[in-house]
Amino acid sequence: MAAANAPITMKEALTLPSVGINPQFITFTHVTMESDKYICVRETAPQNSIVIIDMSMPNQPLRRPITADSALMNPNSKILALKAQVQGTTQDHLQIFNIEMKAKLKSHLMPEQIVFWKWITPKMLGLVTQTTVYHWSIEGESEPVKVFERTANLANNQIINYRCDPSEKWLVLIGIAPGVPERPQLVKGNLQLFSVDQQRSQALEAHAASFAQYKVPGNDNPSILISFATKTLNAGQITSKLHVIELGAQPGKPSFSKKQADLFFPPDFADDFPVAMQMSHKYSLIYVITKLGLLFVYDLETASAVYRNRISPDPIFLTTEASSVGGFYAVNRRGQVLLATINEQTIVPFVSGQLNNLELAVNLAKRGNLPGAENLVVQRFQELFAQTKYKEAAELAAESPQGILRTPDTVAKFQSVPVQTGQTPPLLQYFGTLLTRGKLNAFESLELSRLVVNQNKKNLLENWLAEDKLECSEELGDLVKTVDNDLALKIYIKARATPKVVAAFAERREFDKILIYSKQVGYTPDYLFLLQTILRADPQGAVNFALMMSQMEGGCPVDYNTITDLFLQRNLIREATAFLLDVLKPNLPEHAFLQTKVLEINLVTFPNVADAILANGMFSHYDRPRIAQLCEKAGLYVRALQHYSELPDIKRVIVNTHAIEPQSLVEFFGTLSKEWALECMKDLLLVNLRGNLQIIVQVAKEYSDQLGTDQCMKLFEQFKSYEGLYFFLGSFLSSSEDPDIHFKYIEAAAKTGQIKEVERVTRESNFYDAEKTKNFLMEAKLPDARPLINVCDRFGFVPDLTHYLYTNNMLRYIEGYVQKVNPSNAPLVVGQLLDDECPEDFIKGLILSVRSLLPVEPLVEECEKRNRLRLLTQFLEHLVSEGSQDVHVHNALGKIIIDSGNNPEHFLTTNPYYDSRVVGKYCEKRDPTLAVVAYRRGQCDDELINVTNKNSLFKLQARYVVERMDEDLWAKVLDPENEYRRQLIDQVVSTALPESKSPEQVSAAVKAFMTADLPHELIELLEKIVLQNSAFSGNFNLQNLLILTAIKADPSRVMDYINRLDNFDGPAVGEVAVEAQLYEEAFAIFKKFNLNVQAVNVLLDNIRSIDRAVEFAFRVEEDAVWSQVGKAQLREGLVSDAIESFIRADDATQFLDVIRASEDANVYHDLVRYLLMVRQKTKEPKVDSELIYAYAKIDRLADIEEFILMPNVANLQNVGDRLYDEALYEAAKIIYAFISNWAKLAVTLVKLKQFQGAVDAARKANSAKTWKEVCFACVDAEEFRLAQICGLNIIIQVDDLEEVSEFYQNRGCFNELISLMESGLGLERAHMGIFTELGVLYARYRPEKLMEHIKLFSTRLNIPKLIRACDEQQHWKELTYLYIQYDEFDNAATTIMNHSPEAWDHMQFKDVAVKVANVELYYKAVHFYLQEHPDLINDILNVLALRVDHTRVVDIMRKAGHLLLVKPYMVAVQSNNVSAVNEALNEIYVEEEDYERLRESIDLHDSFDQIGLAQKIEKHELLEMRRVAAYIYKKAGRWKQSIGLSKKDKLYKDAMETASQSGDRELAEELLVYFIEQGKKECFASCLFVCYDLIRPDTALELAWMNNMIDFAFPYLLQFIREYTGKVDELVKDRIEAQNEVKTKEMEEKEVIAQQNMYAQLLPLALPAPPMPGMGGGYAPPPPMGGMGMPPMPPYGMPPMGSSY
């Protein structure tokens, strides 16, 4: 069957390799497809990843690096479920991710291993374990819930599917298992059906199953059906069935009767079995898909077979429903994603024609709204109507596919049926049926509504419209408008009858809706007319409508000016203003005229409105001069000022201050330029200075920055308005820092009498010019001196103030200033008064009046400068008597006492309050000794040193420094740069220190000398203190210091001091002596204090005399000394002597150094003695380990064996490794054997050439590394038997196999290696690597064994690796076999064709050819067979027939000139109706003159150049060939050419049949004339009947009469008369029946009129009626032609001659 005519269309939606999927991952375990939206592929190489293919954009796969054992995409959304086994357990880790949100939704750890899982709904996962089935919802935090246990029939089954019905009440689990022993290749299918409600399971035999919903007639609720396919073997017979069963039948309701049908498998597919079943819910079809690619299609309702074909040459392992198209997707092993869909154009004709199942064809057409059943449906409708089965006819019309019966003719037909008394009219039955089925079309809606309107059933219309049962139209709206305007408007809107909708809105005065609706539907009404209409009735509504028009997209359809004029014509000023204000909001330049217009009309009529408009500032493009004039006339002076642009106009208007709000006038000044503003201000002051001063001041305040403060001040000064200047400057004085402004303000305030303000400003302001202000106030001579006091006090003019007040006899203000304002400035006042020669009594009184508030220091300073200090004696004594401790008071009093000479020493030593530095300074020139007293009292170091130096008072200085004990002071006086240092040192040594009895003072002095680096002076000092009998002679610190100083400054004295002194720190001083390299002195010190270790260290480390050290050690006999001697000897390399010293010292602490030195010096005999001593004192692994090593080095193996048997802490492993590394193998052997380190023992034995023992040790070690080392050593030693023993233990490790193989091969041991690998095949742990490596070795060295090895172990080989080896060694036959085993059929085919002498085998090549993926290989195979095996080319082509392009094959053979060679192939594939094949076969038939085959080919296959073939053979010498040409012309519609050829060859029968089939009356009559001309009377008679329908009777009679052939025409005449007589009889009968019907109708009219509420019966009839007995739904066969007035025709149209005539 041609693919174009097949009822099922197959399409390759995608190939997985084309989007980067490796073919090895196209398997059931790697690919999942849960719906028609996504495919999910799990890849494990080159890295673990998940590939998600969105079927809406398959060429953009999403690849994510994810490791999992299985992955499922959600059927509806981008949610990914992952499953991975937890390593080392049987648990599975489940995770669910939202890919779009990049978030994990849920996860769970399953305690059991999941063997199968699937999305059973978009929200639910089904999880199947070995024993149980769980459901896991992705919503919430729930865990998997157990649903049911698996039944026994599914034990040891591979689960291939799990499904649930739409209600989730029924579940089915499907598995497959190997077949029975007598037929294992026929896989057995098992099914478990589980009821959730009943919690029961049923086990069945089935391979595939699916659920569906089906609505049984008479039952409102859909039934749940299950369909399952089985293929079983019983008693050697295979039974294949499809079952459809209802689940959970509803009590009391019609149920679905069980259906079953056979599944027919062709002989080549005897072992094939169903693997999947999909439901087409759209068409109610069942798809059954088998493993080998067969597709069975069945009808769900009847289980009738619809179609069967092979859809894939490769096994199908995965399917899913394609719900949107009513088909399914299938994935095969090649990676093709096939989409199977219904061919809507051909399925119904196929079922009705090929299957001859008319009822199924009609049901399919109705169910899926498919074409192809029109004639059947119309015929059935006419039958039902003729049988008066109006209800059934109505149902058929309602369900007719593509609405072919939903026409006015059908309505008219029901209208024409007379209404029977007591019955519902058929027309209402028809409409009721349509309403139950869905929506009525426009004509039906109109007719039904007409009935309802006539009966005033408006509520029915409303209900139907609400339920969307009627199709709205303008005609329906017109009809409904007669009864309900609102309902009609709804209908108009739905019908998009725009003019009617606009008119309706206008009638309802809903003008706003007009614009909205017009915009929605794109309609343009007459807006001007609508506006005028609205304006008459509703001015405000007109405004709203006009505004809505202005907001329309594309602009207002009516000009704004026109709209405005419409309002103004009716004097609707307010409405016009409202409209214009709204539309002019954008303030566009093109609206300037309208802006002027709206302002004009309001300035004339409503000035306040115009003022508000202007205040809003919404317009800026109107005629400003015009509006300015109108504003001035209307008294809106502010607006006039705002609009005038000339200065004279502004001056004219601005003087009307009485009518202008001051604030507005001030704001207006802000819009003027500086010059204009000043001009206007001058005019206002000239017109009315007093009245306008406040405004001018306000303007100046507001715009001082713009106008300039100087200009404003000049303006006020010009008019001598100090009041204005005062108010103006006062407004921003606080924010101004201009000294001139502050001064002018003070000046204006003073001149306007604002004395308090003058006082405030002079007190608070910081910016006026103090000098200028002071002078102004002095000149002004204000009665109140406080402003002047403020200025002078703040800016330091106190003397000037005092002089001014004193000279002006304002003594009261002097007292007030000193006492109340600023007492701290009293000294300045006193000083000035003294300068002004004021009486002392006033000054003393002034001072006493202030008392403690008076600052003493500056007062004293002022009096002291004028030599009037005694003036303060009374004041100071008064303060002291009051208990004052003020330093300045006592300083001044001290100065007075010193000057008076009244026992100053007493005051200086007893007064605690004066400042020593100040008083001392005062005394320096008067009496230096008094200064020293003052400085000593205040510890004024610098001052005291300076005064004593200056006056040579060094003895006083030395005593002070010693007593002071200050480091900094000592550093200063002992500074080398001090020119008086020597004099001071002499006084310290001779006087100060000998007088001192304080150790602290002596210590501080000594320390100072040391710090000053004066060692010789220090020695001099210390000898005087320590060596001469003094209080400090035995002082420990001083003795230490003396020796240390001598070490540093005079080493020659050190030994004498050591011998003379006893109370010093020996260890410390000794260390200092060592550091000073005085080694003999240090040795003497250590020896004196019995510090023997330190003493011997000096001998060893400093003097470097080991001999003296050994002598000293023998003398003192101390272990510590011997230990130090031993260390030194060790450092000097005297190892044996050092060991002897350590043994004498009994010192085991240095064993590490001793061991290291002994090894370097190779003195292991002495080391053994030392280590034996050390072992007695400590248990150290290092000691025991070194002892063993030392024994080994001196070859005392027996001692080693004895030692390791004794308790020890030696690290034997490390010792053994060390012995092994240094080739002491015998000793290492002892150690390894003792510690059972078999691996190292084996390697050691290999070194000793003891191979058998090495093998035994390696066996005990059982380590791959050990085995390899022993094996490789045995191979090198040619101990192949032992090497094989080792090798067998190595090659079971995959990672080590290749290393062993390379080692053998590199040494040329090929036979031994092959023997090793062959032995390894029998091992229990033999793995793929062994089999593969042996295959590679066979390929290289034993090719004769290769094929046998591959065939025996093909499943245990690493085929890719062996393929490379075979390719390298050119073993083509074996390479082909490996390619086939690895499913690389393309490479296998290529290898066979490229190396055919060795690799080609016909049967093998046929099997390979059908499985290749590269289409080009098919045609390469055709060329190959054509060149090398032409005798078998048809066989290979028959195998490839379903895959190759037949046209291309024919072209290949045609070019090769061997077309006849593939004739059998072309015959086999001609059923595909390919043009190239048809033409090639037709050529062959013509050449062979096989006209029968040629005619058969033409009849069955029409795809070829018909005219070309006819022209080619119309002149053929063979008659039958020419007849075929005529036949071709006839099929092509070239009737005349066909008849011409038939007449030429006298084939009159053919000519008559051609004329009859042409339907051309002219051709038929021409043929009659030809027969008359040729005298063929019999042919004339035959032609009359063959062309009966075409020949006119008058023409036939005329020709017969004219040519004397009436007798031959008479049978035709009889038939013609009989036909027309019958027609007349029918007409008479119809006429009589019509008259009877008229009479009957008249009688029934009265009853019809009497019927009331006829339509009330309509709704119950809208429900489907139950079937009536005897009224089946089948289709009767068509009536015989005799019923149509034409008797049945015999062959060639000759009527039977009977007795009727």
Side-chain angles (χ1 to χ4, degrees), residues 911-973:
N911 189 299
Y913 304 115
Y914 70 91
D915 186 342
S916 296
R917 190 172 279 103
V918 173
V919 176
K921 183 71 174 174
Y922 190 79
C923 294
E924 280 186 8
K925 293 181 181 180
R926 292 167 174 79
D927 188 349
T929 57
L930 292 178
V932 171
V933 173
Y935 288 145
R936 180 192 295 271
R937 175 256 185 196
Q939 292 187 352
C940 300
D941 298 339
D942 293 340
E943 291 79 1
L944 188 146
I945 296 300
N946 289 335
V947 72
T948 53
N949 285 341
K950 186 187 295 185
N951 296 282
S952 300
L953 302 174
F954 298 113
K955 185 178 290 187
L956 295 176
Q957 182 179 347
R959 289 171 178 167
Y960 174 76
V961 171
V962 170
E963 292 172 2
R964 186 80 170 80
M965 295 186 295
D966 184 76
E967 293 181 4
D968 295 336
L969 180 59
W970 273 111
K972 182 175 181 179
V973 298

Side-chain angles (χ1 to χ4, degrees), residues 651-887:
K651 286 184 175 182
R652 182 180 68 250
V653 177
I654 202 169
V655 296
N656 297 293
T657 53
H658 62 282
I660 302 175
E661 184 183 355
Q663 184 59 35
S664 299
L665 188 58
V666 171
E667 291 175 359
F668 169 70
F669 269 99
T671 63
L672 297 177
S673 66
K674 174 181 178 181
E675 294 76 12
W676 286 18
L678 291 173
E679 287 291 329
C680 292
M681 292 167 71
K682 286 180 182 178
D683 281 4
L684 289 175
L685 289 175
L686 285 171
V687 171
N688 186 354
L689 176 62
R690 178 57 57 186
N692 294 334
L693 181 61
Q694 186 176 357
I695 294 175
I696 298 304
V697 170
Q698 188 66 25
V699 171
K701 287 180 182 179
E702 289 287 337
Y703 308 110
S704 59
D705 293 339
Q706 294 88 343
L707 299 175
T709 307
D710 294 341
Q711 294 294 330
C712 294
M713 289 192 296
K714 288 179 182 179
L715 179 65
F716 288 115
E717 289 172 350
Q718 180 181 351
F719 288 91
K720 296 183 179 180
S721 176
Y722 288 104
E723 184 179 358
L725 190 62
Y726 170 74
F727 287 118
F728 165 64
L729 295 178
S731 63
F732 58 91
L733 185 72
S734 59
S735 61
S736 174
E737 297 181 3
D738 187 350
D740 193 40
I741 290 175
H742 284 255
F743 174 74
K744 288 186 178 294
Y745 180 75
I746 294 171
E747 183 183 26
K751 291 187 177 182
T752 55
Q754 303 293 331
I755 303 301
K756 289 185 178 180
E757 187 65 13
V758 176
E759 189 276 332
R760 182 190 70 80
V761 175
T762 55
R763 174 168 37 85
E764 296 179 358
S765 175
N766 296 318
F767 306 108
Y768 55 83
D769 186 336
E771 183 70 28
K772 189 176 180 180
T773 305
K774 179 197 72 171
N775 295 335
F776 166 73
L777 292 175
M778 287 182 177
E779 291 174 2
K781 293 188 178 181
L782 298 177
D784 190 346
R786 284 181 299 170
L788 180 61
I789 291 173
N790 290 339
V791 175
C792 294
D793 177 62
R794 292 182 60 199
F795 295 99
F797 300 132
V798 175
D800 294 342
L801 172 65
T802 305
H803 180 71
Y804 172 80
L805 295 177
Y806 182 73
T807 55
N808 286 282
N809 200 25
M810 302 177 76
L811 300 179
R812 180 173 60 87
Y813 282 102
I814 294 176
E815 293 175 349
Y817 171 71
V818 170
Q819 295 170 4
K820 298 178 181 179
V821 177
N822 194 349
S824 62
N825 279 339
L828 296 176
V829 174
V830 170
Q832 183 62 41
L833 291 175
L834 290 174
D835 291 341
D836 290 338
E837 298 181 356
C838 179
E840 285 190 2
D841 294 339
F842 178 78
I843 296 173
K844 288 180 180 180
L846 185 65
I847 290 172
L848 292 174
S849 67
V850 180
R851 292 189 183 180
S852 60
L853 296 178
L854 186 67
V856 176
E857 183 180 12
L859 179 63
V860 171
E861 183 180 352
E862 291 293 329
C863 293
E864 189 175 353
K865 283 193 299 184
R866 294 170 175 79
N867 202 19
R868 303 285 294 274
L869 196 57
R870 289 182 181 274
L871 180 69
L872 302 178
T873 302
Q874 184 181 358
F875 166 67
L876 295 174
E877 290 176 349
H878 181 76
L879 289 178
V880 171
S881 65
E882 289 182 347
S884 173
Q885 297 180 2
D886 187 355
V887 64

Side-chain angles (χ1 to χ4, degrees), residues 285-387:
L285 295 175
I286 305 171
Y287 301 111
V288 180
I289 303 98
T290 71
K291 180 180 179 181
L292 297 183
L294 284 180
L295 169 64
F296 298 88
V297 184
Y298 286 83
D299 177 54
L300 175 65
E301 180 182 356
T302 62
S304 302
V306 176
Y307 181 67
R308 184 199 72 193
N309 196 6
R310 189 175 189 184
I311 61 173
S312 171
D314 297 282
I316 290 176
F317 64 87
L318 184 61
T319 66
T320 190
E321 180 186 1
S323 55
S324 59
V325 294
F328 65 92
Y329 282 97
V331 183
N332 62 20
R333 279 286 291 117
R334 195 190 300 179
Q336 290 179 303
V337 182
L338 304 173
L339 174 60
T341 56
I342 294 296
N343 189 337
E344 295 186 350
Q345 302 299 321
T346 61
I347 186 167
V348 173
F350 175 82
V351 173
S352 61
Q354 298 286 342
L355 304 182
N356 198 25
N357 192 337
L358 303 180
E359 184 174 358
L360 177 57
V362 173
N363 287 339
L364 275 174
K366 293 193 295 184
R367 194 186 305 152
N369 197 24
L370 300 172
E374 293 82 356
N375 295 334
L376 297 174
V377 173
V378 171
Q379 180 181 343
R380 178 61 177 159
F381 178 76
Q382 291 175 351
E383 291 175 5
L384 292 172
F385 216 85
Q387 296 170 10

Side-chain angles (χ1 to χ4, degrees), residues 1036-1070:
F1036 176 78
N1037 292 329
L1038 293 179
Q1039 287 190 12
N1040 285 335
L1041 185 60
L1042 178 59
I1043 297 175
L1044 292 175
T1045 307
I1047 289 173
K1048 182 177 180 183
D1050 191 357
S1052 59
R1053 298 185 184 185
V1054 175
M1055 188 62 79
D1056 179 52
Y1057 290 158
I1058 293 171
N1059 295 326
R1060 293 177 62 182
L1061 299 176
D1062 295 320
N1063 190 22
F1064 63 91
D1065 188 349
V1069 174

